[in-house]
Each structure stands twice: as structure tokens, then as C-alpha cells.
Amino acid sequence: FGIEEYRVAVVPHGVFIPDFKVSRTAKNEKKQILMFGVQSLYKGTDILINSIGELTEKERSEIDVIIAGKSDSVLYNQYKTKAEELKVNWINRFIEEEELNQLIVDSDLVVFPYREISQSGALLLTMYYKRAMVLSDLPAFKETLKGYPEYFFFKSEQTTELTNCLKSYIAGQYDLECVGNI
């Protein structure tokens, strides 16, 4: 960029560690899948909803899906009916810190179907709580999660690949214990 090297400083994206305790609430019989943060097209909210739509009715009956965070109004208006039909709980508002942390702790799997990203505070917060994640195979995610099993990644923007990851997760084919070692 033509900037002298001594003028450049790199500040890593950190995670804000909560100053309160969060414990898992009573375990639901269904597997909890969460996507959180400001919802927009580049974060792939539509990819997750379309992927849930590709699951069988039996597979959908085994999961609870929550999309939590204020949504782009065009995206929300376009997908809210489909989300309702698929029984996706879309919480379209700003999520306060304690509620957000509780949602993460109560989740079994957090999904990041992003189309693009350079870094993600949502990813780092999920890592802090050692929750399993399924993610687009974007370079920023792959770099941050070096050593994370490849089966947790799917080709970016490929709804069917995300669906296949979710099917494997629902069928119990993922080693969720490995996420605590990343």
C-alpha cells in the first residue's frame, strides 16, 4: 500500500471475556444449533436457512435452530416465513451480552456459513466457550482454526455441503470432544 513498515501496527482481534458466570441450562432433548451476530447476506444467514430446508423432516425434528441477532431488514423479510416454516427460532433483535453468552453455552453446535470475512469476534467468543463449529472454508477461518478437523468446514456458499455437515452432526458422526483442544 506504499506505507512505511514502521507506521504499521497489527492489533489482533481479541475476545471479550465476560465478567459473569454462565452455566448450561437444563439440556434439551434436541441438539441445539446456533448462529449469532448481526445477520446479513455476507454472513450467510440465507445459506443456513436453505440448508435446514434440505434436511429431512426427521432430521429437523432432532434439532433446535436459533438465529440470534439483529437482521438486515431485506434479508429478514425475504427469509422469515421460510424460517418459521422450518421451525427456526429467529431472534431478530440486538442480543444483550448475558443472553448471548447463555445462548452460546446452551448450544451444541455454532454455525458460521459466511461468504466472506477477515476475522470474527463471534468465532473467537465461540472458541472461548469451546463449542463445536461448522464453518465456511474461508481463509480467515482456516487460519484461525489451524488443526481443527476438516470435516467441520464446508465449501463457502455451498448450501448442500452445509446440509451434509449438519446431517453428519445430527447422525452423531462428529467428534465434538476435539474442539476443546483447539
Side-chain angles (χ1 to χ4, degrees):
F1 293 105
I3 300 171
E4 297 170 24
E5 191 172 324
Y6 77 91
R7 294 183 172 267
V8 176
V10 176
V11 180
H13 191 315
V15 61
F16 296 104
I17 297 172
D19 59 355
F20 48 84
K21 282 267 193 212
V22 182
S23 301
R24 190 168 183 126
T25 57
K27 179 73 175 116
N28 189 325
E29 292 177 16
K30 296 182 178 186
K31 294 175 172 140
Q32 304 278 9
I33 297 174
L34 174 67
M35 179 178 182
F36 69 93
V38 175
Q39 300 301 310
S40 63
L41 194 62
Y42 88 86
K43 288 189 177 178
T45 312
D46 59 315
I47 294 170
L48 175 59
I49 292 169
N50 289 332
S51 177
I52 299 299
E54 289 183 1
L55 295 172
T56 66
E57 191 172 322
K58 180 184 182 319
E59 290 165 332
R60 285 195 307 273
S61 74
E62 296 180 35
I63 58 174
D64 279 331
V65 180
I66 299 172
I67 298 173
K70 185 71 177 153
S71 304
D72 169 273
S73 61
V74 173
L75 176 75
Y76 183 70
N77 290 331
Q78 186 175 357
Y79 283 93
K80 70 178 179 178
T81 301
K82 184 172 185 176
E84 289 169 1
E85 290 169 358
L86 296 171
K87 296 183 176 45
V88 171
N89 180 8
W90 195 338
I91 306 169
N92 182 24
R93 61 176 165 76
F94 176 79
I95 309 296
E96 295 292 336
E97 186 178 7
E98 282 196 50
E99 181 183 7
L100 174 61
N101 283 267
Q102 190 66 59
L103 285 168
I104 297 166
V105 167
D106 287 344
S107 69
D108 298 304
L109 183 73
V110 181
V111 181
F112 295 91
Y114 293 20
R115 289 180 165 86
E116 57 185 81
I117 196 73
S118 58
Q119 195 46 267
S120 169
L123 172 73
L124 297 176
L125 188 57
T126 302
M127 289 172 65
Y128 171 76
Y129 283 114
K130 298 182 178 183
R131 288 292 170 256
M133 299 171 278
V134 167
L135 315 98
S136 300
D137 64 352
L138 299 173
F141 287 154
K142 300 282 282 205
E143 180 181 338
T144 301
L145 292 167
K146 282 187 176 119
Y148 203 65
E150 281 296 315
Y151 55 79
F152 282 110
F153 292 96
F154 68 95
K155 186 154 181 59
S156 181
E157 299 190 54
Q158 300 299 312
T159 300
T160 299
E161 284 202 18
L162 174 56
T163 303
N164 291 336
C165 285
L166 295 176
K167 285 176 179 279
S168 294
Y169 165 69
I170 293 165
Q173 298 172 352
Y174 284 166
D175 174 14
L176 301 182
E177 298 302 315
C178 72
V179 301
N181 301 322
I182 301 301

